[in-house]
Amino acid sequence: MSQQDLAGLAAAHLRRPGLVVLTGAPGAGRTTLLRRIATAAAGPAHTGGGLAMLATVPALALSRAVKARLPAHDVPLLAEAVRSRVRAGLLVLDDLQYADPATLAALPHLATRIRVVAALRTPHRLPEATLSALREAATAWLDIPPLDPQAAADLARRTAGQLDDTAVAAVVARAGGNPLAVTALARQAGAGRGTPDTDVDQVAYAIATALADLPRAARTALAALGLLGRPAPASLLGAGATALHEAGLIQQAGDEVVPVSAYIAETAAGLLDADARADLHRALATATPDAEAARHLAAAGDHDQAYRRALTAADRTAGGDRADLLLFACNLPGVTPAPRVRIAAADALLAAGRPHAAARALTSAAPLGVEADVLRGEALLQAGDPAAARAAVTPIPDAATATVVAARDRILLLADLAADPAAALDTAEKIAARHPAPPPGVAAALAAVRAAHRAPGWERDLAAAAADGTDPLSGRWSAWLLVEHLTADGRLAEAAAAARTAAEACAADLAYSWQTRFLAVAGWADVLQGLSAAASPDNAVRRSADLADRALPADAQAYAVAATALVEADTGLLAAARSRLADPDGHPATAWVAREAAWLDGQPDRAAQHPQTPGAGLLTGLQHITARWAAYDGGAGARSPYASAFDIDGAAPAIPAGLPTAARRTLTAWATGTGFTAAAEAWAGTARREQIRCLLAAGLHDPNAQRAVTALLQAEQLADEAGLVVLAGRARRGLRRHHVHRDTRSPRSGSNLTRRETDVLRLVAAGEPTRRIAGQLGISAETVDTHIRAGMRKLGARTRTEAAALALTQLEPAVSSSDPSAGFGRNDPFDRPDRRDREDGR
């Protein structure tokens, strides 16, 4: 396969998100091939790559591509930062063998969201685990073939037109199809230098001999560019810059110059002997800022000077940069950092959200003092090891400074809360007595204990701990506890409001991980209330799915996926919901939605499983409610008209403690067979879909036909208003039992869907956006929208999602019943969710 064909193959793989890796020997033409692919690809190209002399600089390869500083300490956050800048463009990474570990770890995340093409030189020194992860994530792994003899000869003639056929043949034979070797050797042959006939590495010889033709100042300047790993002003390169321009080895980039080939520049640096390279690093340290100079001095082996320059740079910066510089100073070989430096490094790393690195910074053979002990305890606590955190701070005496004692007490209290919530109450009383006016960290820990036990005023205490002006980490943590506890208590409107307030504050501070976590739980609360669906199911799906498509913290990912899947299931897109929930993550929200979707889809056997882990809160109640619905649909009512059986002996399970009032009333109604209407009223204003389900249950269980019809009509109305298509269909099936029939079509829907309208709505049901539908059907996006609007009008649908669900049911035979008065048990065709007709709204 020619390189042109290889470029076409790579471009074909890059029509959608994925990772294409091009591999080849030095000088095989990887960079040229990347440039050809980037030129042909749709959208802007973001070009970067690794640098040999700066292979340990975190996220350097990606930063070069997007031309921005990136959060290298958090791989998912790093991937999201890159994705948000590349979007529909193409990420092009050269010299992957020099990429830093953060870049390599982010590539599998990026491959699922954006188009990435990367070049990897062989041989390389990537760890086997890293290489395996890249191969697994890659859409295609393509080896760059050598130039065929004719292509190599053409390249040699273009490089040195004066060569005769014999000289060209000699160059081609010696180069072995390597484009860089062809170019270098052709230039040498054209200058009358000839080519050696030894067995030294061809490409190394080509580069070395090419650079040997440069003046010494030019070789030094090119080596300096290789060590710098970034553009540099021409004045920094001295007199050699002119010769490099004339040789075509560097090019102007604004006010700075960059090497045409970073590989050649790095090779120039590699050709220096160790002493010359160290001298050049020292020279660069005198001409670069302190942070950069520290790394050059470390590379030169002058670790003491590197330590001092790193501390100087750290004093002039803040945030993550300060943390990186202090950690660099602590890790320099042969240097014993002062205790104050280790403590400052740990403090900065904790503020940056890097507890594991903070703990490493405090690792020392000599004692560092009580201040280091509390920082170590805080790091262990944030890293999820409360027992070790307690052990780290227990030796701190009461005679320590007030700040240290307060930090110690906070860690002890939170460690107790994690291990033994009951014992934490006693610890909280003692700590509250010791701190009549507790500092923010202690106040937040005391509020957490009161919230865990739902002491009166716990909401006020957590809100105060989360207020502006408090310690950022304690404040965000307290806000998260507030939102989680409000959600567990069924106070969804308050939870959503608190989450959005916290998200706005996090956005102002660029705290991405916390911001997305709050946004995800706010969207989840909206969906449970029925607010997003009432406004527009399409918009609800779009917002939650957009959030779920990012690289998020685990909690945020789970809530976003659960919200999206629940809206999809409620609006009839059950296949999409099942697909989204295909990979279980163990989170209670996604676990419940998976069962709920199975129940909505007429698979009660998959939804009836009783929750195995004890718990409290709204989600626990919802899991029990869904399980009882599923057991009822699965035929439990055949044994007892009012009992949902889960146990072998047919007994209903006990109602868990700690449930919100509405959930407890609903489960009590299932246990007794009465009280569903009162339970529905308890859900009003909290969770509309659960209010509807209670009304459905009232219509099924009430022996009085008039009261049953009234409940079912109310359920139908609420479901239609909220866009809950499947629940509306269940209400209509219940009404048909009482000979009340509904037609979901509007008076204007007299004509059937056209074939094109059906095709469009099928793709809408599959979750395809307008742009992709247009591409698949070969029509414009405007025409797609026209067909969707026409289908909505004919079907009487309020949204495109509902129209898609209704269109699918038109293609399936309607269900009839020979006995409309039959009961709603296992054999009742009107209550079998897997029997779909147009009136079901699915």
Side-chain angles (χ1 to χ4, degrees):
M1 180 184 295
S2 69
Q3 291 198 6
Q4 184 172 356
D5 293 337
L6 191 67
L9 178 59
H13 283 295
L14 291 170
R15 291 174 182 169
R16 58 185 61 196
L19 169 65
V20 172
V21 178
L22 307 172
T23 65
R30 301 184 311 278
T31 301
T32 301
L33 195 55
L34 285 178
R35 191 179 300 119
R36 182 180 298 170
I37 294 170
T39 301
H46 302 264
T47 303
L51 296 170
M53 299 301 166
L54 297 175
T56 59
V57 178
L60 174 69
L62 295 173
S63 296
R64 294 176 65 201
V66 299
K67 296 178 174 58
R69 292 167 57 185
L70 298 172
H73 66 276
D74 185 331
V75 171
L77 177 56
L78 170 63
E80 171 55 21
V82 175
R83 186 206 66 81
S84 65
R85 288 169 171 82
V86 176
R87 295 184 179 274
L90 178 65
L91 178 62
V92 182
L93 297 179
D94 202 357
D95 291 324
L96 209 58
Q97 71 277 3
Y98 298 141
D100 55 277
T103 295
L104 295 171
L107 283 180
H109 295 274
L110 292 170
T112 64
R113 305 288 181 241
I114 61 173
R115 299 176 299 150
V116 186
V117 59
L120 175 63
R121 191 201 67 197
T122 53
H124 53 73
R125 294 185 179 181
L126 295 185
E128 186 59 35
T130 300
L131 190 63
S132 297
L134 289 176
R135 283 189 175 274
E136 184 176 351
T139 307
W141 193 280
L142 307 175
D143 293 324
I144 300 176
L147 295 175
D148 60 57
Q150 184 57 52
D154 292 342
L155 177 59
R157 291 189 178 93
R158 290 196 302 272
T159 302
Q162 69 274 33
L163 296 180
D164 58 25
D165 292 342
T166 301
V168 168
V171 167
V172 169
R174 184 62 182 155
N178 186 285
L180 183 59
V182 169
T183 302
L185 295 173
R187 286 176 177 168
Q188 294 173 15
R193 303 269 307 271
T195 58
D197 55 3
T198 61
D199 292 329
V200 298
D201 178 78
Q202 298 171 356
V203 176
Y205 172 81
I207 294 175
T209 52
L211 296 181
D213 288 340
L214 294 172
R216 181 180 180 85
R219 294 199 303 272
T220 302
L222 190 59
L225 282 175
L227 294 179
L228 279 171
R230 61 171 177 83
S235 58
L236 181 65
L237 304 180
T242 301
L244 290 176
H245 270 298
E246 293 174 352
L249 293 175
I250 61 174
Q251 58 189 7
Q252 201 70 28
D255 296 332
E256 298 178 313
V257 295
V258 295
V260 172
S261 168
Y263 174 68
I264 292 180
E266 291 157 15
T267 302
L271 291 173
L272 299 173
D273 60 41
D275 291 339
R277 191 180 304 114
D279 289 341
L280 186 53
H281 273 299
R282 291 190 186 93
L284 290 173
T286 65
T288 53
D290 288 324
E292 197 173 351
R295 300 188 183 278
H296 282 298
L297 289 168
D302 194 345
H303 298 136
D304 290 333
Q305 283 290 340
Y307 176 79
R308 286 188 283 271
R309 295 293 287 272
L311 296 185
T312 301
D315 288 339
R316 296 174 180 170
T317 188
D321 289 341
R322 172 178 168 82
D324 286 335
L325 285 164
L326 291 172
L327 183 62
F328 170 80
C330 290
N331 290 337
L332 284 169
V335 176
T336 303
R340 65 175 183 82
V341 174
R342 291 190 181 276
I343 291 171
D347 191 39
L349 289 163
L350 284 172
R354 301 167 63 184
H356 296 284
R360 290 196 301 271
L362 293 170
T363 302
S364 172
L368 298 176
V370 292
E371 188 176 354
D373 290 340
V374 294
L375 287 172
R376 185 180 296 107
E378 183 70 31
L380 292 168
L381 186 67
Q382 290 189 27
D385 193 348
R390 165 178 274 281
V393 301
T394 297
I396 297 175
D398 292 341
T401 63
T403 301
V404 170
V405 170
R408 178 202 67 184
D409 290 348
R410 174 179 181 276
I411 295 167
L412 290 174
L413 180 54
L414 293 177
D416 278 357
L417 183 61
D420 188 352
L425 284 172
D426 294 334
T427 307
E429 291 181 4
K430 297 175 183 177
I431 289 177
R434 188 179 296 136
H435 302 279
V442 175
L446 291 170
V449 174
R450 288 193 287 270
H453 293 275
R454 296 302 192 274
W458 67 268
E459 309 99 319
R460 181 187 64 251
D461 294 339
L462 275 182
D468 292 339
T470 60
D471 172 63
L473 291 179
S474 296
R476 289 164 192 159
W477 175 69
S478 298
W480 180 250
L481 286 181
L482 175 63
V483 170
E484 280 204 318
H485 288 321
L486 288 172
T487 303
D489 288 353
R491 299 161 64 176
L492 299 174
E494 296 174 72
R500 288 197 168 87
T501 299
E504 290 177 3
C506 293
D509 293 339
L510 301 179
Y512 165 80
S513 295
W514 281 109
Q515 178 196 5
T516 54
R517 190 180 298 179
F518 285 118
L519 288 176
V521 79
W524 168 246
D526 283 346
V527 168
L528 288 180
Q529 292 178 87
L531 299 180
S532 294
S536 169
D538 295 328
N539 289 337
V541 169
R542 188 177 301 112
R543 286 194 299 269
S544 294
D546 177 65
L547 195 62
D549 282 344
R550 305 181 188 181
L552 301 178
D555 280 333
Q557 184 77 17
Y559 281 122
V561 168
T564 306
L566 185 57
V567 173
E568 289 173 334
D570 278 337
T571 53
L573 300 180
L574 289 155
R578 287 196 304 270
S579 175
R580 196 175 296 278
L581 297 166
D583 298 324
D585 59 10
H587 194 278
T590 51
W592 170 64
V593 174
R595 292 178 181 174
E596 183 72 2
W599 172 70
L600 290 170
D601 200 25
Q603 303 178 57
D605 55 318
R606 297 181 57 188
Q609 182 183 0
H610 185 270
Q612 297 298 315
T613 55
L618 178 62
L619 275 173
T620 298
L622 292 175
Q623 288 176 352
H624 280 264
I625 292 169
T626 297
R628 297 189 186 195
W629 264 112
Y632 182 84
D633 283 356
R639 293 196 302 274
S640 170
Y642 303 129
S644 295
F646 300 92
D647 299 338
I648 295 176
D649 60 2
I655 298 174
L659 299 184
T661 301
R664 188 173 62 254
R665 288 184 180 178
T666 303
L667 291 172
T668 301
W670 275 106
T672 63
T674 61
F676 285 108
T677 303
E681 293 175 358
W683 287 111
T686 299
R688 181 175 294 193
R689 69 182 316 278
E690 295 309 313
Q691 180 185 7
I692 294 167
R693 290 213 291 177
C694 283
L695 291 169
L696 288 173
L700 299 180
H701 287 84
D702 200 321
N704 184 290
Q706 183 175 357
R707 289 197 302 265
V709 169
T710 300
L712 290 168
L713 287 173
Q714 187 180 359
E716 178 192 33
Q717 179 184 354
L718 290 174
D720 281 338
E721 290 174 354
L724 305 179
V725 177
V726 182
L727 293 180
R730 283 177 171 262
R732 294 184 183 107
R733 286 196 298 275
L735 287 169
R736 289 201 302 273
R737 178 190 181 191
H738 297 280
H739 308 289
V740 178
H741 296 273
R742 287 286 186 268
D743 188 348
T744 60
R745 295 179 299 172
S746 69
R748 298 177 58 190
S749 59
S751 58
N752 294 326
L753 293 175
T754 67
R755 182 171 181 177
R756 181 62 85 189
E757 289 165 355
T758 301
D759 291 341
V760 168
L761 291 176
R762 275 184 182 275
L763 292 172
V764 171
E768 298 287 357
T770 298
R771 177 181 55 79
R772 292 185 63 179
I773 294 173
Q776 291 183 46
L777 298 181
I779 57 179
S780 68
E782 291 76 13
T783 303
V784 171
D785 289 334
T786 299
H787 288 315
I788 292 173
R789 287 193 295 270
M792 290 170 60
R793 185 189 71 250
K794 293 179 180 180
L795 295 169
R798 297 185 304 111
T799 68
R800 58 187 279 161
T801 302
E802 184 180 359
L806 293 172
L808 291 183
T809 62
Q810 276 197 349
L811 303 176
E812 300 177 17
V815 178
S816 62
S817 172
S818 59
D819 182 10
S821 63
F824 274 49
R826 181 185 301 274
N827 299 316
D828 181 4
F830 288 124
D831 198 38
R832 292 293 292 167
D834 54 333
R835 304 291 183 90
R836 301 169 187 162
D837 60 16
R838 187 170 59 198
E839 292 183 3
D840 291 348
R842 292 171 53 193

